[in-house]
């Protein structure tokens, strides 16, 4: 690490500091999942925080509106349609009410969360995606194309789905010979990179179904690695040396022979989960079981990976959620917000760059990826690429109403698709007449669902009122 600290470098992020929120702003009394799996167990967006929890006889996760802090009642509804533990969850970047989950039950499920959160447990997903033969440990939405979802399982296969039709359109089942530790899309979603138990990092063009670059023994140690794409197309990896020291490295996929940079960190044995902010080029490393978050700035000048600081606390982290940029408070110069999972609670941690002025700090907040998809699923599968559509955060981000309605039509898929065989590559366009029928049915379904939800709410409120009346009567006596 010393080599990284020697020179005092000019950087607006040198003084970033982290602070945990007060106790009453945490989410308390949550039984965080104890399943042994190295995913982050938590996913957040500007509306909700989702946390994988312990569930007897199945798999479940909580979805809490961000403002629902304090103690969470044991009877609080969950999303509980999986028959085995949930291993990974990911919010759709183009619809803040849609979340995907992968489970030990070999399925991927996509869920629509009501606008104000759950009032009843959700057991019916919008769609079930079946195609993996072993547990599904990774789910990741395409960054710029609507309704495109990637999943990776312990069958060493990666499947890319068109969620809008429920079809597996790409199946990469012969590229990995060993367990896949993680998968990362690049900025425009034209490539993916993977880290695997065979110590290789692979760069894959999923539509051509070919490996475009790979590196053997990216890190020599046997413990799990991670590999993520950066905005400039380089790849950042974390792993272990042969002596079990934790390492981080930077690679150019056009020449994977030698790393651009390689740094040893410490000898702790928790897997380092990298969280990357493409707007500031800062990487935050959260070790599972660590009680600290280390952060680094990536630049074009040596040593390329610059240590900034460490946020330390007393309690070890079981998992971590990372808020997208549009969910941050720009008036407080907040540049990152983490949701740290303890054994029984979730604690937000806020990273800030101290500034004297109250004005909008445009150097901290370049235009960032907004919630609109740049492409439709069909366009991407046909070979088109597009960068994320950017928005300004100058006046803060206000979640749009109409956007949800627009996407709901595409996402209501209650007429279950026939499950596709693994090898099928289906690109058949749907007939227009079918589509309008389906849309009408979907609208009707949507209205019926809403009615049912309103009825259920009324029933719940009735029960609550009568309970309260009984309690009042007791007090009066």
């Amino acid at each position: 690490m010393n080599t990284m600290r020697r020179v005092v470098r000019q950087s607006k992020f040198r003084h970033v500091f982290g602070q945990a929120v007060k106790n009453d702003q945490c989410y308390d009394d949550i039984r965080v999942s104890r399943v042994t799996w190295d995913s982050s167990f938590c996913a957040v967006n500007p509306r909700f925080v989702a946390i994988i929890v312990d569930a007897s006889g199945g798999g479940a996760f909580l979805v809490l509106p961000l403002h629902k802090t304090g103690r969470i009642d044991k009877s609080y509804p969950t999303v509980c349609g999986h028959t085995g533990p949930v291993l990974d969850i990911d919010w759709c970047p183009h619809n803040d009410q849609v979340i995907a989950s992968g489970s030990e039950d070999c399925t991927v499920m996509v869920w629509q969360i009501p606008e104000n959160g759950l009032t009843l447990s959700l057991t019916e997903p919008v769609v079930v995606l079946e195609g993996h033969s072993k547990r599904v440990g990774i789910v990741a939405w395409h960054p710029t194309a609507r309704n495109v979802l990637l999943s990776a399982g312990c069958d060493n296969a990666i499947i890319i789905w068109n969620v809008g039709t429920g079809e597996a359109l790409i199946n990469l089942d012969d590229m990995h010979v060993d367990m896949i530790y993680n998968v990362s899309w690049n900025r425009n979603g034209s490539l993916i990179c993977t880290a695997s138990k065979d110590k290789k990092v692979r760069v894959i063009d999923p539509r051509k179904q070919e490996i475009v670059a790979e590196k053997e023994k990216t890190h020599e140690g046997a413990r799990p690695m991670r590999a993520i794409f950066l905005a400039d197309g380089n790849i950042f990896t974390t792993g272990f040396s042969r002596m079990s020291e934790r390492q981080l490295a930077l690679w150019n996929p056009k020449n994977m022979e030698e790393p651009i940079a390689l740094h040893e960190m410490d000898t702790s044995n928790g897997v380092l989960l990298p969280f990357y902010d493409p707007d500031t080029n800062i990487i935050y490393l959260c070790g599972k079981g660590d009680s600290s978050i280390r952060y680094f700035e990536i630049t074009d000048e040596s040593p390329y990976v610059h240590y900034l600081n460490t946020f330390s606390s007393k309690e070890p982290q079981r998992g971590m959620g990372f808020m997208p940029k549009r969910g941050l408070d720009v008036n407080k110069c907040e540049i990152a917000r983490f949701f740290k999972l303890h054994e029984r609670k979730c604690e937000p941690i806020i990273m800030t760059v101290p500034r004297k002025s109250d004005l909008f700090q445009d150097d901290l907040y370049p235009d960032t990826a907004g919630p609109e998809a740049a492409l439709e699923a069909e366009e991407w599968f046909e070979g088109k690429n597009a960068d994320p559509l950017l928005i300004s955060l100058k006046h803060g981000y206000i979640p749009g109403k109409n956007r949800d309605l627009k996407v709901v039509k595409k996402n209501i898929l209650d007429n279950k698709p026939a499950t596709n065989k693994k090898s099928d590559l289906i690109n058949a366009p749907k007939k227009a007449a079918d589509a309008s029928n389906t849309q009408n049915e979907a609208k009707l379904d949507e209205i019926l669902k809403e009615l049912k939800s309103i009825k259920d709410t009324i029933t719940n409120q009735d029960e609550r009122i009568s309970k309260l009346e009984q309690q009042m009567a007791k007090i009066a006596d």
Side-chain angles (χ1 to χ4, degrees), residues 33-37 41 52-61 81-89 101-107 135-137:
S33 173
R34 288 195 296 262
V35 69
T36 38
W37 189 253
F41 287 6
I52 304 177
V53 290
D54 257 348
S56 49
F61 56 97
H82 283 287
T83 56
V86 176
L87 300 177
D88 196 20
I89 47 178
S101 55
S103 160
E104 261 182 40
D105 66 13
C106 307
T107 69
R135 60 188 179 160
V136 183

Side-chain angles (χ1 to χ4, degrees), residues 158-428:
I158 292 173
I159 300 180
I160 301 177
W161 309 85
N162 180 346
V163 174
T165 59
E167 294 169 309
L169 291 188
I170 294 171
N171 196 321
L172 311 171
D173 56 3
D174 56 357
M175 293 191 174
H176 295 84
V177 293
D178 213 332
M179 188 158 82
I180 300 165
Y181 286 137
N182 88 302
V183 182
S184 164
W185 291 97
N186 68 348
R187 178 108 169 128
N188 70 358
S190 58
L191 298 171
I192 56 176
C193 70
T194 67
S196 168
K197 196 172 178 177
D198 62 8
K199 300 184 189 174
K200 280 188 188 178
V201 165
R202 294 168 175 82
V203 180
I204 296 167
D205 181 325
R207 289 168 298 189
K208 289 188 179 150
Q209 304 201 23
E210 61 188 38
I211 295 171
V212 292
E214 65 181 356
K215 171 67 184 168
E216 292 198 28
K217 294 198 176 162
T218 316
H219 295 276
E220 305 253 351
R223 291 187 55 71
M225 300 190 304
R226 286 288 181 276
I228 58 168
F229 265 115
L230 305 185
D232 62 3
N234 284 342
I235 290 170
F236 180 89
T237 61
T238 65
F240 292 80
S241 71
R242 209 183 278 125
M243 308 301 293
S244 293
E245 285 181 302
R246 293 200 288 194
Q247 295 177 319
L248 49 94
L250 191 60
W251 307 84
N252 176 353
K254 293 190 172 64
N255 176 14
M256 301 276 276
E257 280 302 297
E258 290 295 319
I260 300 168
L262 174 69
H263 297 291
E264 314 261 298
M265 294 216 337
D266 56 19
T267 50
S268 186
N269 61 2
V271 178
L272 284 170
L273 304 179
F275 294 92
Y276 172 59
D277 174 11
D279 304 339
T280 56
N281 247 339
I282 295 179
I283 287 182
Y284 302 85
L285 295 184
C286 306
K288 257 200 151 174
D290 288 13
S291 48
S292 61
I293 301 173
R294 292 186 178 83
Y295 35 109
F296 301 81
E297 187 178 359
I298 311 286
T299 71
D300 299 339
E301 50 195 73
S302 175
Y304 307 107
V305 181
H306 306 269
Y307 171 80
L308 288 172
N309 213 335
T310 300
F311 166 81
S312 295
S313 58
K314 292 192 179 72
E315 296 288 320
Q317 54 229 15
R318 297 278 297 272
M320 198 66 85
F322 184 52
M323 177 67 81
K325 212 45 167 295
R326 57 195 170 90
L328 302 181
D329 186 343
V330 296
N331 301 318
K332 297 203 173 106
C333 294
E334 181 184 12
I335 61 160
R337 190 186 312 162
F338 287 93
F339 286 69
K340 171 181 169 178
L341 301 186
H342 301 238
E343 269 182 42
R344 306 253 349 166
K345 75 169 178 181
C346 171
E347 173 187 46
I349 292 165
I350 288 166
M351 301 279 182
T352 317
V353 176
R355 290 280 164 100
K356 291 193 175 75
S357 162
D358 286 341
L359 298 174
F360 177 69
Q361 307 290 314
D362 50 9
D363 62 325
L364 296 183
Y365 302 106
D367 288 357
T368 192
E372 285 302 320
L375 293 172
E376 296 302 325
E378 291 70 23
E379 296 178 293
W380 185 79
F381 285 111
E382 283 160 11
K384 278 193 186 153
N385 292 323
D387 283 333
L389 297 178
L390 305 183
I391 56 169
S392 163
L393 295 178
K394 187 156 191 171
H395 304 294
Y397 166 71
I398 295 110
K401 269 254 189 274
N402 56 351
R403 183 174 56 90
D404 290 342
L405 288 175
K406 209 166 52 188
V407 180
V408 165
K409 289 177 192 160
K410 289 192 159 59
N411 273 341
I412 290 291
L413 314 156
D414 278 329
N415 31 349
K416 292 275 194 296
T419 59
N420 301 308
K421 290 289 169 285
K422 259 182 144 187
S423 54
D424 290 356
L425 288 176
I426 299 166
N427 284 311

